Amino acid sequence: MYEERASRLSGAVVWTNRPATQPVARPVLPDGCMDLLWSEGNLLVAGPDTRAYVPEGPSAFWSGIRFFPGTAPALLGVPAHELRNRRVQLADLWPARAARRLSDRIAAAPHPASALEALALERAEPPGAALRRLVSALAAGRPVAATADELGVGARQLYRHSLVAFGYGPKTLARILRLQRALALARSGVPCAETAARSGYADQAHLSRDVREFTGQTLGSLLR
């Protein structure tokens, strides 16, 4: 069973996923975010995805904190594009002693998710105003060129910044955020054609192509 709540760290989400009685591996869909994960003694980082990630192996208990888009690289000290579509041990990114100390701390905590949140509160910075404006504009469907102008940066500068912060360019981030907006509407019962129109797609076929590209599934199978 999956549960989540808003974190005390601005823009972040704390979550847990307990294995079901008859577990079925469900894909983790691209969302523009990066996560710090804990499972069975392992402290890992989930990089930014451009395709669905399907967990392998037996079902396990997971805890995590999902950071606001663009904020995790400053905490990790690694540009997001180096972690694109990857799950890596924190010890591969940080000095082994520092990673081991944090792993021991989380292992000793009664609630790993709360321990991850406490770690983030100590070490991570909340999203700044410029980052919030960028993500909000792209999430609302603003064109990338217009967003760059509003932020007072050039297109190339915005692209370079986005690679470091999000793991891909602003157009890819905008498409992923649009997909998440569409999925939220569809899951709430909005018909597919209306979902496409309200999310900024040219038509339902356009929505279907993006769903297939980013998730490897049809919209109908995701909704089921």
Side-chain angles (χ1 to χ4, degrees), residues 84-157:
R84 185 169 54 235
N85 295 320
R86 298 177 62 197
R87 292 344 185 230
V88 301
Q89 297 280 345
L90 185 65
D92 292 337
L93 307 178
W94 285 10
R97 180 177 296 179
R100 185 169 58 251
R101 185 164 57 246
L102 293 177
S103 293
D104 291 344
R105 171 179 164 181
I106 295 170
H111 303 291
S114 296
L116 288 170
E117 180 182 31
L119 167 63
L121 286 165
E122 292 170 7
R123 295 172 174 261
E125 294 291 333
L131 181 62
R132 284 189 179 275
R133 286 176 60 198
L134 171 58
V135 173
S136 295
L138 296 178
R142 291 285 293 157
V144 171
T147 300
D149 289 342
E150 291 165 4
L151 294 174
V153 299
R156 290 185 179 181
Q157 183 181 356

Side-chain angles (χ1 to χ4, degrees), residues 134-205:
L134 171 58
V135 173
S136 295
L138 296 178
R142 291 285 293 157
V144 171
T147 300
D149 289 342
E150 291 165 4
L151 294 174
V153 299
R156 290 185 179 181
Q157 183 181 356
L158 179 60
Y159 181 79
R160 290 194 299 269
H161 171 75
S162 295
L163 281 181
V164 173
F166 310 117
Y168 30 64
K171 289 185 178 180
T172 299
L173 177 62
R175 292 179 65 203
I176 287 172
L177 296 176
R178 180 177 61 185
L179 175 65
Q180 286 291 332
R181 189 164 66 247
L183 290 175
L185 287 172
R187 286 166 175 157
S188 71
V190 177
C192 292
E194 183 180 347
T195 288
R198 288 173 58 180
S199 302
Y201 290 93
D203 50 30
Q204 187 174 336

Side-chain angles (χ1 to χ4, degrees), residues 17 26 33-34 37 46 48 60 68 99 108 123 126 128 132 153 170 178 181 190 196 200 208 212 221-222:
N17 193 18
R26 305 186 69 175
C33 301
M34 296 174 61
L37 312 170
F68 186 84
R123 295 172 174 261
R132 284 189 179 275
V153 299
R178 180 177 61 185
R181 189 164 66 247
V190 177
S208 297
R212 175 70 72 175
S221 64
L222 286 175

